Amino acid sequence: MSGRLWLEAVERELFRRRLPRQEVARLVAELSDHLADAMDSRSAAGPLPVPDAANIDSLFNLTEERMSMEDRVAESLGSAAEIAETAAQEFRRRRTLLSRSWLAAFCTFVLLPLPALLLGWLVAWLAVQPIFEWVCSGEGPVREVTSLRVFGVHVLLVILVAAPAATLAALFGRLAQKTDNRWWWGLAACFLLAVATPAATTTTTFSEAPGKSQVRFFVPLYGSAKYWKSLYWKSLAQPTQLVQFLLPLGVGVLILRRSAGGAIQLAARQPLSSR
Amino acid sequence: MTRKRTNPDFLNGVPELLILHLLSGRAMYGYELVQAIRLATNETLEFGEGCVYPILHRLQADGLLASRRETVGGRNRVVYRITKAGARRLEESVALWRQITGAIKTALQGVPDVGPAVA
């Protein structure tokens, strides 16, 4: 296989393994340089004879010799599949900024969870608001306050508060797992989410009179330490708030436990690799 | 292409160690580095030369190496050099490697015979 064909085969294999275009271009360029260097080096070791232009056989032999030299060089570089497989493996092993920088990890796993939770609650509230409006709407016939309707609203409120927290705990846990198995960062994020989630309170008022039913979702964004302390201990005394505390923590621990198993396997397989 | 390569699983981490060690001596471009590995290991390690580049790219992405396009021998080449973080990693890896080889050497020397307990 000529050098050009070999490079094309490498490029195809790299794209087949879904490596980024920029990475493929860089690797192919460097392999092309390597190929040229290896050809130069072999030519210097034993220069090819100067062809006799009049003799077609000598030209043919020279081409054949050059092709066989290219074959040998390509062979020493490795097969296209072998290089592409190594490239894909090494690309997956790369450490991200999160695993290298303490500051980036601190910003992501300590500063980001609470704003992300507020955003999650806002999105969840906007998603379920039409349902609450329908329940509390004053339009249409007088709505009967059935126990099913009350139960349904309460379930929706629990989902509204807990789902964003649980989803974020799973995301931060997974992110910690992906970034060099730094599980303690993931645990810190899940703990912050667990502490913040019970602060969200909901109140409901049901009335058969149109427009009198109310569903309120309240998140205290500021207040004195005393206010927070009293709110917090009162909240945790209620089973719903306790579930709100335990759910993100539980989801996070579950995901991180799985990643800790992976880390142990990785350490056993790669004694000299980065940890 | 039926060359017998050294078992890559068994040598996990070795190319990285060699690359960091050789680049700690001086900056090199890919082809030069491959030749340096050959010479340094007495051609004991057989590997696809092209496989060095993905490792170099990963080490650079991890901040252990830095690269720059430079003209060497009249040709434009990507020259790699070790960073401070790379030097630290090299120290750790060498210490770990010595610890592992020491442990294996001890194990291969054999476990001392422990005779049955006499009552």
Side-chain angles (χ1 to χ4, degrees):
Chain A
M1 188 188 283
S2 78
R4 192 177 52 81
L5 288 176
W6 179 83
L7 281 172
E8 282 173 8
V10 172
E11 194 175 39
R12 266 198 310 276
E13 288 288 331
L14 290 169
F15 278 128
R16 206 166 67 79
R17 283 166 177 80
R18 297 173 189 279
L19 277 147
R21 191 168 286 277
Q22 202 182 357
E23 182 62 25
V24 173
R26 183 183 173 188
L27 195 54
V28 170
E30 280 187 275
L31 288 171
S32 173
D33 286 350
H34 190 111
L35 206 65
D37 278 328
M39 288 291 288
D40 284 356
S41 161
R42 286 185 192 223
S43 300
L48 296 176
V50 180
D52 178 1
N55 186 349
I56 194 77
D57 281 349
S58 79
L59 270 173
F60 183 73
N61 287 342
L62 184 70
T63 312
E64 240 186 6
E65 223 167 300
R66 187 174 172 82
M67 279 176 74
S68 107
M69 191 191 278
E70 280 194 3
D71 279 352
R72 285 198 298 274
V73 168
E75 189 190 339
S76 70
L77 274 157
S79 72
E82 188 184 1
I83 291 173
E85 194 47 47
T86 309
Q89 277 175 14
E90 293 296 330
F91 192 77
R92 283 195 295 268
R93 279 182 66 194
R94 280 183 192 187
R95 297 174 77 205
T96 58
L97 181 68
L98 272 186
S99 58
R100 270 189 287 146
S101 159
W102 188 91
L103 186 68
F106 180 82
C107 291
T108 308
F109 293 105
V110 178
L111 300 182
L112 189 64
L114 298 186
L117 183 62
L118 286 175
L119 190 70
W121 276 333
L122 182 71
V123 171
W125 174 255
L126 290 175
V128 296
Q129 206 188 15
I131 304 172
F132 289 138
E133 270 179 10
W134 176 74
V135 170
C136 304
S137 162
E139 291 165 15
V142 174
R143 292 179 192 281
E144 207 179 320
V145 182
T146 61
S147 53
L148 186 69
R149 179 164 288 167
V150 172
F151 177 75
V153 167
H154 277 114
V155 167
L156 213 57
L157 282 171
V158 170
I159 293 171
L160 167 71
V161 176
T167 309
L168 283 169
L171 281 175
F172 280 109
R174 189 96 180 102
L175 195 63
Q177 183 189 19
K178 286 258 179 198
T179 53
D180 214 14
N181 295 294
R182 288 191 167 192
W183 60 269
W184 59 90
W185 284 117
L187 192 65
C190 294
F191 183 74
L192 283 169
L193 289 168
V195 167
T197 309
T201 47
T202 55
T203 54
T204 49
T205 313
F206 291 99
S207 169
E208 291 189 358
K212 295 287 178 188
S213 296
Q214 265 191 347
V215 176
R216 291 185 68 203
F217 176 64
F218 176 68
V219 182
L221 290 178
Y222 51 86
S224 66
K226 198 177 167 188
Y227 164 77
W228 272 90
K229 207 171 153 186
S230 72
L231 171 92
Y232 211 78
W233 289 118
K234 262 187 225 164
S235 295
L236 279 186
Q238 295 168 24
T240 324
Q241 311 296 98
L242 196 63
V243 168
Q244 285 174 14
F245 173 80
L246 291 174
L247 191 71
L249 204 59
V251 168
V253 167
L254 203 73
I255 290 199
L256 290 164
R257 256 193 77 195
R258 282 167 59 191
S259 78
I264 291 160
Q265 278 175 13
L266 197 74
R269 274 196 66 233
Q270 300 176 346
L272 285 167
S273 62
S274 56
R275 276 177 292 167
Chain B
M1 296 203 182
T2 53
R3 275 172 67 163
K4 193 184 170 195
R5 309 266 191 221
T6 315
N7 184 345
D9 285 337
F10 183 69
L11 290 173
N12 220 332
V14 171
E16 177 183 316
L17 178 65
L18 283 171
I19 288 169
L20 289 175
H21 172 69
L22 291 167
L23 289 177
S24 70
R26 67 184 175 93
M28 281 185 245
Y29 56 91
Y31 182 76
E32 207 180 5
L33 183 65
V34 167
Q35 301 314 310
I37 294 174
R38 282 196 185 290
L39 272 173
T41 61
N42 242 344
E43 299 198 17
T44 309
L45 299 183
E46 283 286 337
F47 58 93
E49 292 175 7
C51 295
V52 163
Y53 294 96
I55 301 173
L56 285 170
H57 295 179
R58 196 245 311 157
L59 293 176
Q60 189 187 346
D62 289 356
L64 305 177
L65 296 181
S67 78
R68 207 167 64 180
R69 276 222 165 251
E70 282 174 26
T71 307
V72 183
R75 193 179 280 166
N76 200 278
R77 291 173 165 116
V78 181
V79 176
Y80 292 90
R81 47 179 48 85
I82 197 164
T83 61
K84 278 183 187 167
R88 276 198 302 273
R89 169 66 65 79
L90 176 64
E91 269 179 38
E92 289 167 14
S93 295
V94 168
L96 193 59
W97 176 255
R98 290 204 171 119
Q99 201 182 334
I100 290 167
T101 48
I104 291 170
K105 201 175 161 190
T106 309
L108 291 177
Q109 278 166 354
V111 184
D113 250 3
V114 180
V118 181

